[in-house]
Amino acid sequence: MSNLTSGNQMWGGRFVTGPDEIMEEINASIDFDKVLYAQDIAGSKAHARMLVKQAIISADDGDKILKGLDTILSEIEAGEFKFSRALEDIHMNIESRLAELIGEAAGRLHTARSRNDQIALDFRLWVKQAAQQLDGLLVTLIGVLIDKADEHKDTLMPGFTHLQGAQPVTFGHHCMAYVEMFGRDLSRVRDAIHRMDECPLGAAALAGTGFNIDRHMTSDELGFREPTRNSLDSVSDRDFALEFLSFASICATHLSRMAEEYVIWSTSQFNFISLSDKFSTGSSIMPQKKNPDAAELVRAKTGRINGSLIGLLTVMKGLPLTYSKDMQEDKEGVFDAASSLRLAIAAMTGMIDDSSINKQEMAKAAGSGYSIATDLADWLVREADMPFRQAHHVTGAAVALAEKNECGLEELSLEDLQAIDKRIEKGVFDVLSVEKSVQSRKSFGGTSPDNVAQQIAWWRKQLGS
């Protein structure tokens, strides 16, 4: 027992006074929630104006509060504000300074609200603004990909399954695949913004308030679509943060997949892409090295973002209604994920825009691995009236012969092909080229250059609207 009362034997050398200091250490959130100062002050100003309008506080007190909050905002932005861990959080730090500035009137600001609805408001405002920033960054990234696709809508490259050459496609078509992915991310973040666009201010601690407040007024002033409808849910809901992290994880996964391809394609073994010096680094010992570090770091950021999602899901999974202190752990992961995703999108945008495409290497690889075999099978179905399974078998025999002769399918003679199946005619050579293979893929969503051009036009219209 003496160990507990005389010091900090159980917790190690960091703590010198015992449980009181430990409680401050675990309880204070000002070290990270101070980034919410602008949202907190905006919410307080809207709340003060509403209290005046509803005659809950006097106009004179309201005027003092607003001027005091403006002073605090200026102090924080100028780096002159002193944050105190003893005051726990951003709310109490601002309220304490307000009392120093305007005296007793500061105590009237907290009428008809609680730190529970206050933090729900601040955090929701911050996440909404972060989501809007990411919306703009995604639009820019999609625009760069569309421009790259337009430039390379007929640039030949191999399409892959299992990272094995499968069928030829165009690099423009490949770029547009990522446009579709990031387009879904754009849709997701906009859906999330719509759902989080409800104002919790006025829910108070959990049950609402007996004061005659006007929640629609504060909601409108803070730029929300409407107030939340249930006070219990208002202070305990963190779906907006979870949905933001879910969007961030999916988007980061798309970025990581593209980063992985840029890492592979920039190797000397592939040599499909040359990354600019702006987005590469060298080696401290090997002077020839040019490392795709930007792509690798984009790939790695996904792990951090996924971790933030799992962390918050785990925090929230067992909480009864309404507010619990566990929910103080909701912010740092979101802040980190938003920062990581902003950086990853910006890096990917710059890297793609500044990269060079090695067309000759791509085209050479597009024809390797008997990538036009399916075109031979399709010709047999169309022109020789074969069932596809039989055509598949015949084509497999042709590939085996080409492998034996160490040549391409298009280099086999008509006699070679007719020895496999007499129904093959010289017209088959009209389809046995990479260029004709790509041009023939005209089904909706296919890789033909005309299709790619149509998809580019469609997406430009979507972004424009």
Side-chain angles (χ1 to χ4, degrees):
M1 185 66 94
S2 60
N3 286 344
L4 292 175
T5 56
S6 64
N8 64 325
Q9 303 280 341
M10 286 185 66
W11 298 286
R14 178 170 173 79
F15 302 100
V16 295
T17 61
D20 286 347
E21 187 172 338
I22 292 170
M23 185 60 194
E24 180 180 313
E25 185 75 16
I26 196 171
N27 194 49
S29 60
I30 189 60
D31 292 343
F32 55 85
D33 69 15
K34 62 186 176 184
V35 304
L36 299 173
Y37 72 88
Q39 292 78 16
D40 195 76
I41 290 172
S44 291
K45 290 172 74 173
H47 187 66
R49 291 190 185 99
M50 182 274 295
L51 292 175
V52 170
K53 174 181 172 291
Q54 297 300 103
I56 297 171
I57 66 172
S58 70
D60 182 57
D61 282 344
D63 187 56
K64 290 177 182 177
I65 289 169
L66 293 174
K67 288 179 180 177
L69 289 170
D70 283 337
T71 298
I72 293 170
L73 181 62
S74 297
E75 289 176 349
I76 295 174
E77 291 181 341
E80 299 168 354
F81 189 93
K82 293 183 179 179
F83 293 99
S84 168
R85 298 189 87 235
L87 293 170
E88 293 187 12
D89 56 36
I90 186 63
H91 322 302
M92 298 309 297
N93 270 264
I94 289 175
E95 186 174 322
S96 175
R97 177 59 178 150
L98 187 63
E100 292 175 358
L101 291 170
I102 68 172
E104 186 177 285
R108 301 191 184 280
L109 175 59
H110 209 54
T111 307
R113 76 173 183 183
S114 162
R115 282 194 292 178
N116 292 357
D117 63 336
Q118 200 175 352
I119 190 56
L121 169 69
D122 294 358
F123 194 26
R124 191 179 288 244
L125 267 176
W126 191 96
V127 173
K128 178 183 171 183
Q129 291 161 1
Q132 289 168 334
Q133 289 178 334
L134 289 163
D135 181 312
L137 290 171
L138 277 170
V139 169
T140 301
L141 172 58
I142 291 169
V144 165
L145 280 166
I146 290 172
D147 288 343
K148 192 68 78 172
D150 204 3
E151 181 184 355
H152 294 284
K153 56 181 172 286
D154 55 2
T155 296
L156 299 172
M157 70 169 290
F160 298 94
T161 62
H162 310 278
L163 202 56
Q164 305 290 317
Q167 291 178 305
V169 296
T170 68
F171 183 62
H173 192 54
H174 197 99
C175 288
M176 292 305 293
Y178 282 100
V179 169
E180 294 290 332
M181 292 187 200
F182 294 123
R184 291 192 295 273
D185 293 328
L186 187 61
S187 175
R188 265 184 283 272
V189 75
R190 290 177 176 178
D191 285 348
I193 290 169
H194 177 79
R195 268 184 292 279
M196 72 177 70
D197 203 17
E198 298 176 350
C199 182
L201 186 61
L206 74 159
T209 177
F211 289 96
N212 182 32
I213 63 173
D214 184 349
R215 292 191 63 208
H216 287 85
M217 176 184 171
T218 49
S219 176
D220 290 344
E221 181 165 335
L222 291 166
F224 287 99
R225 188 179 71 254
E226 59 186 344
T228 53
R229 294 177 185 81
N230 183 284
S231 60
L232 297 172
D233 181 58
S234 299
V235 297
S236 61
D237 168 44
R238 292 299 183 269
D239 285 4
F240 63 91
L242 288 168
E243 191 165 8
F244 177 83
L245 289 173
S246 297
F247 142 75
S249 291
I250 297 170
C251 183
T253 297
H254 293 155
L255 290 167
S256 183
R257 293 182 72 180
M258 193 165 198
E260 170 72 359
E261 292 192 327
Y262 269 59
V263 169
I264 293 171
W265 292 348
S266 64
T267 62
S268 58
Q269 289 78 11
F270 270 78
N271 195 26
F272 285 1
I273 284 178
S274 297
L275 298 178
S276 73
D277 292 348
K278 295 178 184 178
F279 293 93
S280 306
T281 64
S283 165
S284 63
I285 190 172
M286 295 171 285
Q288 83 281 10
K289 292 296 293 296
K290 186 176 182 181
N291 300 322
D293 282 11
E296 291 171 354
L297 288 167
V298 166
R299 192 173 58 187
K301 292 290 184 186
T302 306
R304 292 178 64 150
I305 295 170
N306 288 350
S308 295
L309 172 60
I310 296 302
L312 185 53
L313 283 168
T314 305
V315 166
M316 297 301 298
K317 73 175 183 62
L319 297 186
L321 295 180
T322 54
Y323 183 83
S324 297
K325 195 68 172 181
D326 310 52
M327 293 165 70
Q328 185 168 287
E329 295 294 320
D330 59 357
K331 298 170 196 66
E332 291 176 278
V334 173
F335 295 160
D336 184 75
S339 176
S340 295
L341 187 57
R342 279 196 299 267
L343 185 57
I345 293 175
M348 185 62 75
T349 301
M351 188 175 64
I352 293 167
D353 193 37
D354 224 30
S355 62
S356 299
I357 308 305
N358 301 331
K359 292 184 179 182
Q360 289 183 338
E361 290 297 326
M362 278 192 171
K364 180 181 176 183
S368 66
Y370 307 101
S371 64
I372 56 175
T374 306
D375 297 275
L376 173 56
D378 288 347
W379 184 91
L380 291 167
V381 171
R382 285 194 308 269
E383 304 300 328
D385 196 27
M386 284 188 193
F388 183 79
R389 286 301 170 204
Q390 184 181 356
H392 186 283
H393 180 78
V394 170
T395 301
V399 169
L401 180 59
E403 284 182 328
K404 180 181 178 182
N405 293 346
E406 297 182 351
C407 67
L409 282 173
E410 70 282 4
E411 295 174 304
L412 291 173
S413 67
L414 180 60
E415 291 76 16
D416 288 334
L417 292 171
Q418 287 179 335
I420 297 170
D421 194 291
K422 62 182 180 182
R423 288 171 287 185
I424 299 176
E425 300 173 351
K426 64 179 181 179
V428 72
F429 293 103
D430 292 339
V431 301
L432 293 185
S433 76
V434 173
E435 293 82 357
K436 289 174 181 176
S437 173
V438 165
Q439 290 168 3
S440 72
R441 306 294 173 183
K442 296 181 179 180
S443 60
F444 187 80
T447 190
S448 76
D450 288 344
N451 277 10
V452 175
Q454 290 172 15
Q455 288 300 305
I456 288 169
W458 187 88
W459 268 104
R460 289 198 194 284
K461 184 177 179 181
Q462 298 307 305
L463 292 184
S465 63

